[in-house]
Amino acid sequence: MTGDIDDKPQPLIEHLMELRTRLIWSLVTFFIAFIACFAVAKHLFNYLVYPYKWAVVWAHLDVSKAELIYTAPQEFFFTQVKVAMFGALVIAFPVIAAQIYKFVAPGLYKNERGAFLPFLVASPVLFLLGAGLVYFFFAPMVMWFFLKMQQVPADGQIGIALLPKVSEYLSLIMTLVFSFGLVFQLPVITTLLARVGLLTSAWLAEKRKFAIVLAFIVAAVLTPPDPMSQIGLAVPTILLYEISIYAARLVERQRARQTSEENDEKSDVTKTDSV
């Protein structure tokens, strides 16, 4: 691997200057994306409201009467700021990830760089898959669960209606999106750990029962206090854990194949030298 890595000593100031450059590029990209998203923040929020509309339809309620409210003058403004920050983070993530890679790449061997690059692609893809699952299924299901708890005024009972606040609705959606997005990183994290030898598929399989319990505990902490969203996060987590075991086995097979090929090459060289 000689020559694959730049092992020349560099002053600390050069590392700090490089880090500053990467941070500036990341912050500038985020700021530009934030300005663009804030300009259309109300439209973006309207897209985030679609799961609530679908839940209203599932609950057989009148969509024309469904509404979100805000009770403080500045509440909707700060909600739009949060929407813009959320959108900016999503848009700027590829650039931020690229800057992180460029900062650490000089310290990696050539084969390590090639192994690291696929995970830079897989990470945002898996995050978007988790966010899509929330947007199209779990968020409407959670809102449907809450809508079904409403009480219609009849038989002397008063009406109890759900009037979601814009800030609390956005907080719920963002919590679900980040929770599912982070959980969907499980195969990436376990594969990386298996590649460097910190985890094995046998160890993961042995700890499966503990992982199942931990999945429900994490789901209870990360999601709102309703059984629908907690089960909805725990079940995909368990499935992703099984995928992680399979991915770790693939890494082990690949490592074993490479080791075998290297041994064969050494054996061939030894035979040639002996001749």
Side-chain angles (χ1 to χ4, degrees):
M1 291 188 182
T2 306
D4 284 348
I5 187 172
D6 185 7
D7 56 359
K8 294 183 297 183
Q10 295 181 353
L12 177 61
I13 188 65
E14 291 188 13
H15 289 290
L16 294 177
M17 290 176 64
E18 177 71 11
L19 179 60
R20 184 190 64 178
T21 301
R22 301 307 170 193
L23 288 173
I24 290 175
W25 274 105
S26 300
L27 290 174
V28 168
T29 304
F30 176 81
F31 181 74
I32 294 174
F34 172 79
I35 296 299
C37 290
F38 186 74
V40 293
K42 186 176 291 186
H43 299 287
L44 293 176
F45 187 79
N46 285 331
Y47 281 111
L48 294 176
V49 172
Y50 276 111
Y52 179 55
K53 291 182 179 180
W54 297 333
V56 172
V57 174
W58 294 357
H60 304 291
L61 301 174
D62 188 356
V63 179
S64 62
K65 295 182 180 180
E67 61 180 1
L68 301 178
I69 65 171
Y70 61 97
T71 56
Q74 74 280 8
E75 181 179 346
F76 191 41
F77 171 78
F78 285 112
T79 299
Q80 293 182 62
V81 171
K82 291 179 182 179
V83 170
M85 293 179 64
F86 180 70
L89 184 61
V90 173
I91 294 173
F93 178 80
V95 176
I96 296 174
Q99 296 303 314
I100 295 174
Y101 175 75
K102 288 180 180 179
F103 180 72
V104 301
L108 301 176
Y109 289 107
K110 186 176 181 180
N111 64 327
E112 292 174 337
R113 298 175 197 168
F116 191 70
L117 276 174
F119 296 105
L120 287 179
V121 178
S123 182
V125 170
L126 289 173
F127 187 91
L128 290 176
L129 285 176
L133 189 63
V134 169
Y135 185 84
F136 292 104
F137 182 68
F138 284 108
M141 183 179 65
V142 169
M143 294 307 300
W144 170 83
F145 176 81
F146 291 141
L147 284 169
K148 294 298 290 184
M149 298 178 67
Q150 295 183 114
Q151 179 173 289
V152 179
D155 300 328
Q157 295 179 335
I158 63 171
I160 302 176
L162 173 64
L163 292 176
K165 295 175 61 177
V166 291
S167 59
E168 294 177 350
Y169 176 79
L170 178 64
S171 178
L172 173 64
I173 294 297
M174 291 178 63
T175 299
L176 289 174
V177 167
F178 279 116
S179 298
F180 277 76
L182 291 175
V183 167
F184 269 63
Q185 303 303 308
L186 185 60
V188 173
I189 296 172
T190 53
T191 304
L192 279 173
L193 293 176
R195 187 175 290 274
V196 298
L198 295 178
L199 286 180
T200 63
S201 59
W203 186 87
L204 290 172
E206 180 184 351
K207 304 300 181 182
R208 181 184 283 111
K209 56 185 178 181
F210 300 105
I212 294 175
V213 176
L214 184 61
F216 280 95
I217 294 175
V218 171
V221 173
L222 294 179
T223 60
D226 67 277
M228 303 293 288
S229 57
Q230 292 174 5
I231 295 174
L233 179 58
V235 172
T237 303
I238 296 170
L239 294 177
L240 288 168
Y241 188 83
E242 296 298 327
I243 295 175
S244 300
I245 296 175
Y246 178 73
R249 287 173 181 167
L250 291 180
V251 170
E252 291 169 354
R253 291 172 187 171
Q254 183 181 9
R255 188 189 300 120
R257 185 164 54 250
Q258 290 176 348
T259 303
S260 177
E261 291 175 355
E262 291 175 358
N263 292 334
D264 291 341
E265 290 178 359
K266 292 179 180 178
S267 177
D268 294 337
V269 171
T270 302
K271 290 179 182 179
T272 303
D273 292 341
S274 63
V275 171

